[in-house]
Amino acid sequence: MKTAEVKVTVELDAHNLPETITWESTDAKTSDKVPVKAMFMALWDHNYKNSMRLDLWTKDMPVDEMKRFFYETLQTLGDSFLKATGEKNIVEDLRDYCAHFADKMNIEQK
């Protein structure tokens, strides 16, 4: 059995707002701390049958990048849901919504 550790470090200002966020992993090809401007983390609590979330972004995260981050996160959630459940029809609906979201937010779709 193999164990890997992911570490997220958040530097806060005097008002507890994130100034910087970095992450590193024992399983990464490099030991460097990687700077990021935003993160979403969701965990499933099996005992209480609910999710726990940690959503953070730095004060200097640009709004246009946050919109793209949400769009790409929604897209990858569809990928994960399809892989986990095989539910193709609902993922197609999610993809349709992602296109609508991108259109409303003026996000260029790749």
Side-chain angles (χ1 to χ4, degrees):
M1 179 178 269
K2 180 178 176 181
T3 300
E5 182 176 315
V6 174
K7 180 180 177 184
V8 175
T9 303
V10 182
E11 292 182 7
L12 304 172
D13 69 8
H15 303 286
N16 287 329
L17 297 174
E19 289 277 356
T20 63
I21 304 170
T22 59
W23 77 279
E24 58 191 298
S25 171
T26 58
D27 209 27
K29 293 179 180 174
T30 176
S31 61
D32 296 343
K33 292 182 179 183
V34 179
V36 296
K37 294 286 182 187
M39 64 171 277
F40 300 144
M41 182 169 55
L43 305 165
W44 178 251
D45 185 325
H46 175 74
N47 293 323
Y48 290 100
K49 305 288 189 249
N50 66 2
S51 60
M52 299 174 287
R53 291 190 5 235
L54 178 62
D55 303 335
L56 295 174
W57 55 92
T58 60
K59 296 186 297 185
D60 62 343
M61 173 71 170
V63 172
D64 62 324
E65 288 184 24
M66 182 60 88
K67 290 176 182 180
R68 177 153 254 348
F69 182 44
F70 266 83
Y71 168 73
E72 290 187 10
T73 299
L74 290 170
Q75 289 280 30
T76 59
L77 284 172
D79 296 340
S80 296
F81 191 74
L82 181 61
K83 186 176 180 181
T85 67
E87 296 285 343
K88 292 179 185 176
N89 290 338
I90 197 68
V91 171
E92 289 174 8
D93 289 348
L94 180 56
R95 297 277 183 251
D96 290 343
Y97 175 73
C98 288
H100 172 75
F101 181 91
D103 183 53
K104 292 291 185 180
M105 294 290 108
N106 295 314
I107 297 169
E108 182 181 329
Q109 297 179 55
K110 294 180 179 177

